[in-house]
Amino acid sequence: MIRPAVWRPADGLTLEPNALRAATEREHCLVLTAGPGAGKTEMLAQRADFLLRTGTCRYPKRILAISFKVDASRNLKERVRRRTGSDLSARFDSYTFHAFAKRIIDRFRPILTGNDALDPDYIIGNSKVTRRQIKFSDLVPLAIQILETSQVARNAVRKTYSDVFLDEFQDCTDKQYELVKLVFQGTTIRLTAVGDTKQKIMAWAGALEGIFSTFAADFNAVPLNMYLNFRSKARLLRMQNEIIRVLDPVSMMPDEQVAGNEGEILAWGFDTSQLEAEHLVTQIAGWINDEGVPHSEIAILVRQQPDLYADVLMAELEKRGIPYRNEQQLQDLSVEPVAMLIVNYLLSLYGTREPVAWLRLMNQLIQFADETEQAQTRQDWQKFIKLERKQAELFDLLDDRWPSGWSFVENFLNRLGISSLTALSPDYESATRLNEVIQETKTRIEEQLKIEPDLIKALAKFSEDQAVRILTIHKSKGLEFDSVIILGVENQTFWGNEADQRCTFFVGMSRAKQRLVLTACQTRRTPPCNPNRWSEQRTPHKEFLGYALPFLERESGLVQK
């Protein structure tokens, strides 16, 4: 333990003044607004390090972080572990709102009575079945019901935590905020809410208007703003500033921050989606082969329905042999810890050059061991996998790698044990959910093998470091990439509430670190599934493309291809 006055940011990082103030606050609640690339997650990780390392979060108190997406929750947990070490990070709990609500339900389930009563082995499904099954949307309301009913439940949560982090707070709904107030308002627990009003893209799901000012009033929170963007190059920052000028003028970045010509912005128009796909895949191949951009650092973003908007592009990627990952098709499976555990194990078992998969696997396997035991744990697993590789080589001489490969997975999971598997995620405390994810992983691998018979290449579909990412703008939130393509910047794609669409476009274009590409087509072919309300005739979105025009590499505006 060290004195607060001598604490310095972990790993020698330098924080801007407001970020440093937020990280070291010891008395007040905070409401911190920050733009994309400003380092919100890093600030929270550094704050966790400060609170734990200085004893400001006194043992045995813990820190609770609540996020809105599973991958954001896990990213923050991992970053805190890297900053604080495994011993201190063991007192850091990182959940989504729904996972936090489920923990309350599981712990205080007997409080629920009548039609809301639940059996100990209840499950989450698509409909409500008395005592046996609840819907995902029931989690937060049932947690609220428990906390409203039981002072014991409220006190138990309050006594556990000294600090609470609320990430991406601009997307907080009325029920979620009701849960926060019910548990923490009027206590001495320090709350730190962070987010960006310019990235509010959950209005359709009930995100509250003016949530930052409401929170500041309800919790007497000190407002702070982080202006610096450490993600995007200068040219991209200037384009972002033009949108910020419309969304939130007071948050515009200082002129000195956006000076310079680094970065690249391109806008291309095409007669057809086939021409668009052919040209983009040629460019992507050049970025990978000529510039050395990793596959995972290239993202193709669509406003919605990647299966529909990127179907021609995916076919062209397949034709050119460029691995890609359709995030919608994976349905969040790729962020399930046990799914990636299985994939990394198979890559390590069968692959000859998979050092990244091996490192990821080792990090997952040793994360729950004490630091003194980690070396021995790593050595034991290396010995086990070495023996399994020899056995797998023998099987290769007699049979295909699949389905025999799954028998090796079963041996691996059995050796790991149910307690270690459960520790990977709070969701896995439900044996039903754990088994569901394992079986879904097996099914998805088999589906990929129908497309790509080579097991290693099929597994690459799951692996971020070996595949171009295709995802919705909404799913890209919180992520960053060297090169970002926003597909279909057209009126027929970005329609609806103007303010919401502007925020959505801002989120998409601010994912880019080095290069941003915008495309529009005159004709976008109807997908084979023949969706309703599909318009083949398209018109460029003048406002969104207009933000890019002053900063294009070519001064002629939207370049036709």
Side-chain angles (χ1 to χ4, degrees):
M1 186 179 301
I2 62 173
R3 291 183 295 109
V6 301
W7 178 86
R8 295 294 180 270
D11 292 342
L13 296 179
T14 300
L15 302 180
E16 66 166 290
N18 276 353
L20 181 61
R21 180 181 173 186
T24 56
E25 176 59 47
R26 301 170 63 194
E27 297 181 7
H28 300 96
C29 294
L30 298 171
V31 55
L32 184 70
T33 54
K40 297 184 290 293
T41 303
E42 182 59 45
M43 187 283 295
L44 289 176
Q46 295 288 351
R47 177 154 178 72
D49 184 78
F50 171 83
L51 294 169
L52 294 167
R53 205 175 294 281
T54 64
T56 304
C57 171
R58 292 182 178 276
Y59 183 85
K61 294 282 190 179
R62 305 175 68 84
I63 300 172
L64 170 66
I66 304 179
S67 303
F68 288 82
K69 295 199 304 182
V70 173
D71 48 358
S73 172
R74 290 170 182 153
N75 178 41
L76 179 55
K77 175 72 174 178
E78 173 58 23
R79 194 173 299 213
V80 169
R81 188 191 67 80
R82 293 201 304 266
R83 296 292 177 258
T84 66
S86 57
D87 287 345
L88 291 177
S89 66
R91 291 165 54 205
F92 184 84
D93 296 333
S94 185
Y95 306 121
T96 63
F97 258 109
H98 290 94
F100 177 55
K102 186 177 185 300
R103 291 185 71 83
I104 293 172
I105 294 170
D106 291 346
R107 184 174 180 184
F108 303 105
R109 177 187 49 76
I111 293 172
L112 297 171
T113 58
N115 291 332
D116 293 321
L118 293 172
D119 291 339
D121 58 346
Y122 78 93
I123 61 174
I124 300 171
N126 295 324
S127 60
K128 181 176 175 61
V129 178
T130 302
R131 302 193 69 92
R132 301 291 303 138
Q133 182 170 289
I134 60 175
K135 296 184 294 184
F136 190 73
S137 59
D138 294 329
L139 288 171
V140 173
L142 287 176
I144 289 174
Q145 183 179 325
I146 289 172
L147 295 168
E148 286 179 333
T149 304
S150 172
Q151 180 70 42
V152 171
R154 292 198 300 275
N155 286 340
V157 178
R158 291 169 176 174
K159 289 178 180 179
T160 302
Y161 299 107
S162 70
D163 292 85
V164 177
F165 300 167
L166 301 168
D167 197 11
E168 299 290 357
F169 196 56
Q170 73 278 351
D171 290 331
C172 189
T173 67
D174 55 349
K175 284 296 182 183
Q176 290 166 343
Y177 190 52
E178 183 179 348
L179 178 63
V180 170
K181 289 202 300 180
L182 186 59
V183 184
F184 302 115
Q185 192 175 28
T187 71
T188 58
I189 298 171
R190 296 174 292 257
L191 277 74
T192 302
V194 301
D196 180 8
T197 55
K198 300 182 294 302
Q199 297 190 64
K200 181 184 173 185
I201 59 176
M202 294 291 286
W204 58 273
L208 293 170
E209 289 291 340
I211 185 62
F212 290 103
S213 57
T214 300
F215 176 84
D218 289 342
F219 288 87
N220 194 27
V222 176
L224 295 172
N225 193 302
M226 290 166 55
Y227 289 100
L228 297 180
N229 180 323
F230 297 100
R231 172 188 298 152
S232 304
K233 296 297 184 181
R235 188 185 296 267
L236 282 74
L237 292 177
R238 289 203 295 277
M239 179 179 168
Q240 291 174 28
N241 242 13
E242 292 306 305
I243 307 179
I244 295 171
R245 189 190 305 276
V246 178
L247 290 171
D248 184 15
V250 299
S251 296
M252 289 182 66
M253 289 167 274
D255 291 341
E256 60 272 16
Q257 185 187 343
V258 297
N261 290 313
E262 299 87 357
E264 183 178 28
I265 299 174
L266 300 164
W268 293 323
F270 302 89
D271 289 336
T272 68
S273 51
Q274 180 61 46
L275 292 173
E276 173 189 63
E278 292 172 0
H279 183 76
L280 287 177
V281 172
T282 297
Q283 297 300 312
I284 290 170
W287 300 339
I288 295 170
N289 299 325
D290 301 336
E291 299 180 22
V293 179
H295 290 74
S296 64
E297 283 290 324
I298 301 171
I300 299 163
L301 306 184
V302 297
R303 180 184 172 270
Q304 58 187 355
Q305 301 172 304
D307 283 339
L308 303 184
Y309 277 88
D311 69 323
V312 180
L313 181 59
M314 288 188 288
E316 193 64 26
L317 287 167
E318 289 275 4
K319 180 179 175 182
R320 297 282 292 272
I322 298 176
Y324 67 89
R325 214 173 73 176
N326 180 352
E327 300 286 351
Q328 177 174 307
Q329 192 179 68
L330 288 175
Q331 296 179 337
D332 289 331
L333 191 60
S334 62
V335 298
E336 288 287 352
V338 73
M340 293 314 300
L341 184 76
I342 291 169
V343 169
N344 289 327
Y345 173 67
L346 286 170
L347 285 170
S348 298
L349 187 68
Y350 288 110
T352 55
R353 294 182 181 179
E354 303 295 339
V356 177
W358 176 263
L359 289 173
R360 282 198 303 253
L361 178 65
M362 287 297 109
N363 286 337
Q364 280 188 292
L365 292 175
I366 69 171
Q367 62 180 309
F368 300 110
D370 294 335
E371 288 192 5
T372 55
E373 300 175 354
Q374 285 185 0
Q376 185 61 48
T377 300
R378 182 183 285 105
Q379 187 176 1
D380 291 344
W381 278 112
Q382 287 174 342
K383 184 184 297 183
F384 170 80
I385 294 172
K386 184 177 181 179
L387 291 174
E388 292 292 278
R389 281 179 65 98
K390 289 183 178 180
Q391 190 69 16
E393 289 171 1
L394 293 177
F395 270 78
D396 276 356
L397 298 175
L398 303 173
D399 199 358
D400 290 336
R401 288 180 171 179
W402 199 265
S404 64
W406 190 253
S407 65
F408 288 100
V409 171
E410 291 175 336
N411 291 339
F412 169 65
L413 296 179
N414 287 335
R415 186 182 191 281
L416 191 60
I418 191 65
S419 60
S420 294
L421 290 171
T422 301
L424 290 171
S425 169
D427 293 345
Y428 301 160
E429 291 177 9
S430 165
T432 302
R433 175 57 182 162
L434 175 59
N435 290 329
E436 181 182 273
V437 175
I438 291 172
Q439 290 305 311
E440 189 178 351
T441 303
K442 181 175 183 285
T443 300
R444 192 54 48 78
I445 292 172
E446 290 170 347
E447 289 175 355
Q448 294 294 342
L449 284 169
K450 293 176 183 177
I451 302 171
E452 172 51 70
D454 185 289
L455 178 60
I456 298 300
K457 292 181 180 178
L459 292 171
K461 297 288 185 180
F462 288 85
S463 183
E464 292 185 10
D465 60 306
Q466 298 183 57
V468 173
R469 305 278 294 276
I470 300 175
L471 62 165
T472 62
I473 292 175
H474 175 261
K475 194 168 181 59
S476 75
K477 198 171 179 182
L479 304 177
E480 58 184 45
F481 305 93
D482 175 274
S483 301
V484 169
I485 298 169
I486 300 183
L487 202 70
V489 185
E490 301 148 0
N491 292 330
Q492 292 75 16
T493 307
F494 290 89
W495 54 271
N497 181 280
E498 286 187 2
D500 291 344
Q501 297 309 308
R502 197 174 288 119
C503 286
T504 298
F505 181 71
F506 178 75
V507 168
M509 58 88 61
S510 58
R511 300 307 94 198
K513 295 184 289 187
Q514 172 67 37
R515 178 189 290 116
L516 175 68
V517 176
L518 310 177
T519 74
C521 286
Q522 297 295 323
T523 303
R524 195 166 290 280
R525 188 185 73 188
T526 302
C529 62
N530 195 27
N532 293 328
R533 300 181 180 179
W534 184 272
S535 175
E536 288 201 342
Q537 300 306 308
R538 300 277 166 156
T539 52
H541 198 296
K542 290 184 178 180
E543 179 191 342
F544 294 170
L545 292 168
Y547 291 125
L549 289 177
F551 311 107
L552 295 178
E553 290 295 294
R554 303 164 180 83
E555 297 181 358
S556 56
L558 188 67
V559 180
Q560 295 292 324
K561 292 289 180 184

